[in-house]
Amino acid sequence: MPPRANIARTPFRVKPDNSEFEGPLDDCNAAIIVPGFLSGSSDFLPLAKLLTARGIPTTVLPMPVWHWLPCLGGRSMRPMLERIDNAVRHLSAAGGDVSAVPRVGYSLADLWSDFRANPGGVFEVGGSSEPDEYPLVEPCGTFLPPPAPPKARVALVGHSAGGWISRVYLSSRSYAGKAYGGARLVHSLVTLGTPHGDAPGPAFKGVAWCNREAKPQGVRCLAVAAKGTPGDRSGALTQSSYAFCVEGSDGSDLDGDGLTPVQSALAFPGAEQLVLDRVTHFPWGDVFGGDVLAPELAMDYKAGMPWYGSENVVDKWAGWLSGEEL
C-alpha cells in the first residue's frame, strides 16, 4: 500500500501563514512543555502541575511515546513540529487557557505512512539526510484548526531534544519544506538538558540547522544545563551519550546531567544560561524500564538526586518565565 502522506519532490516551500496577524500580540504566562525524544506527555504531567501551581498555567504537548517512531534514526522532525504548531495556535487563540489544547488524531495507519515517508536519517529516506534537501512530506494525523485567530504569545519549555525542535519551530527559515515562524506566537523558550552543540551524524543534522542562525529577536531564551554526573564514573550510557554529543571526546572527560554534557546544553547562541549542580536529566526511577536502560542514573535518582522537573529544581528556573532574574 503506498504511503498516505502528501509528498512533493520539488523545491516548493511552505511559508508561515501570518495572514491572521494584524499586529504584535500581547504575552500571556501560559506554557507548553515539549517532551524529549522517546518520552510522552504523561512523563511531564507532574512538571506541568508544579509550574501551574507557581502561577504559570502549563500543559504538555498531547502525545504518547509511540508518536516519535517516524522520527527514529535522525529523520525529519516535521511530525513533532506539526504537533507543536497546533498546540501553540490553540493555546494562543484561547488566550492562555491550557484546557483548550486538543489531542491529535493519529491512527496506526497514520503511523505506518509517516514511518515509511518521513525523510532523512541514517538511511537518507527521500534522498538526503540534510533538512534543506528533504522532499516536502506532510505528516499524517488529524489536527483540529484553532477556533479563532491568535490572541497572545505563549512560552515553550523544551526538554532534551524537545528544546532544539522548539528552536526549529521559532525559525522563519524552511525546515523540511515548511517555515513555521513560531516566534510570532512564542515569547519565551526554556531548554532543559538540550544538546545544542554541533556533532557528527544524522541525529545532529537538525541541531546544526538551528545553529546556522541566532535566536529570533523578541523571544527570550534560557538554556539550562546540569553537572554532577561525570562521564568517567557514571556508567556506559552516560559516557557514550556525552561522546555522542561532543566531537573528539570519548565522554570520560565531560560532566553533565547523565545524558547531555554541560558544554552542549549551553551551546545555544544568544540564550541566557543556567548551570545546576547535582541534577539529573530525567526521572529515571519513575519510568518503566529506567532501571534497565540507565541503571546508574536510576540509582542516583532513587538516592535523592533530583531532575530538572523536581520541585526544588523547578524553583531555580521557573521564575525566569515570569520575568524574574536568575
Side-chain angles (χ1 to χ4, degrees):
M1 182 178 68
R4 296 168 56 214
N6 176 24
I7 304 175
R9 299 182 183 278
T10 70
F12 178 71
R13 294 292 181 259
V14 179
K15 296 182 178 179
D17 179 10
N18 293 326
S19 59
E20 73 271 45
F21 293 106
E22 295 183 356
L25 300 174
D26 293 331
D27 296 345
C28 71
N29 64 342
I32 297 171
I33 299 171
V34 181
F37 188 59
L38 293 182
S39 57
S41 54
S42 62
D43 298 318
F44 294 87
L45 291 177
L47 173 55
K49 291 179 180 179
L50 288 174
L51 290 172
T52 299
R54 285 157 175 74
I56 306 170
T58 302
T59 188
V60 188
L61 199 66
M63 53 170 286
V65 173
W66 60 273
H67 282 203
W68 283 103
L69 294 178
C71 303
L72 288 173
R75 295 163 76 179
S76 169
M77 291 298 168
R78 278 287 310 278
M80 295 302 110
L81 290 163
E82 290 297 312
R83 286 159 174 76
I84 295 172
D85 187 50
N86 191 254
V88 166
R89 288 181 177 274
H90 276 274
L91 186 58
S92 174
D97 179 1
V98 295
S99 68
V101 177
R103 292 187 174 275
V104 173
Y106 198 63
S107 66
L108 291 178
D110 291 329
L111 170 67
W112 178 239
S113 293
D114 278 348
F115 188 79
R116 294 181 64 187
N118 195 38
V122 174
F123 296 106
E124 299 186 350
V125 178
S128 177
S129 63
E130 294 290 340
D132 289 335
E133 299 174 0
Y134 293 162
L136 178 63
V137 177
E138 291 301 326
C140 294
T142 302
F143 298 86
L144 297 177
K151 295 178 181 177
R153 297 199 305 167
V154 303
L156 293 177
V157 177
H159 176 255
S160 198
W164 72 258
I165 297 168
S166 296
R167 290 174 61 192
V168 176
Y169 176 68
L170 297 180
S171 178
S172 293
R173 292 162 53 220
S174 174
Y175 172 91
K178 183 173 180 178
Y180 288 88
R184 295 291 304 274
L185 297 170
V186 175
H187 61 75
S188 301
L189 168 63
V190 176
T191 66
L192 305 173
T194 292
H196 290 296
D198 291 345
F204 281 88
K205 294 293 186 181
V207 176
W209 185 94
C210 292
N211 289 335
R212 295 187 191 122
E213 66 179 305
K215 75 173 186 66
Q217 290 192 4
V219 180
R220 301 169 64 239
C221 296
L222 173 65
V224 182
K227 61 181 180 178
T229 307
D232 61 350
R233 55 182 186 276
S234 302
L237 175 65
T238 292
Q239 183 171 343
S240 61
S241 180
Y242 289 176
F244 187 58
C245 292
V246 178
E247 186 173 11
S249 172
D250 69 354
S252 64
D253 58 333
L254 300 173
D255 195 0
D257 62 16
L259 280 192
T260 306
V262 171
Q263 68 186 73
S264 183
L266 297 181
F268 182 170
E272 297 180 59
Q273 299 179 348
L274 175 64
V275 180
L276 305 170
D277 190 32
R278 293 289 297 167
V279 170
T280 192
H281 188 83
F282 192 67
W284 300 102
D286 293 345
V287 296
F288 177 76
D291 293 306
V292 176
L293 177 65
E296 293 85 0
L297 300 179
M299 186 180 303
D300 285 344
Y301 178 74
K302 290 180 178 179
M305 180 183 282
W307 79 288
Y308 294 107
S310 295
E311 186 166 6
N312 61 327
V313 177
V314 170
D315 288 334
K316 297 179 180 179
W317 59 263
W320 180 89
L321 282 170
S322 302
E324 298 177 10
E325 296 291 332
L326 293 173

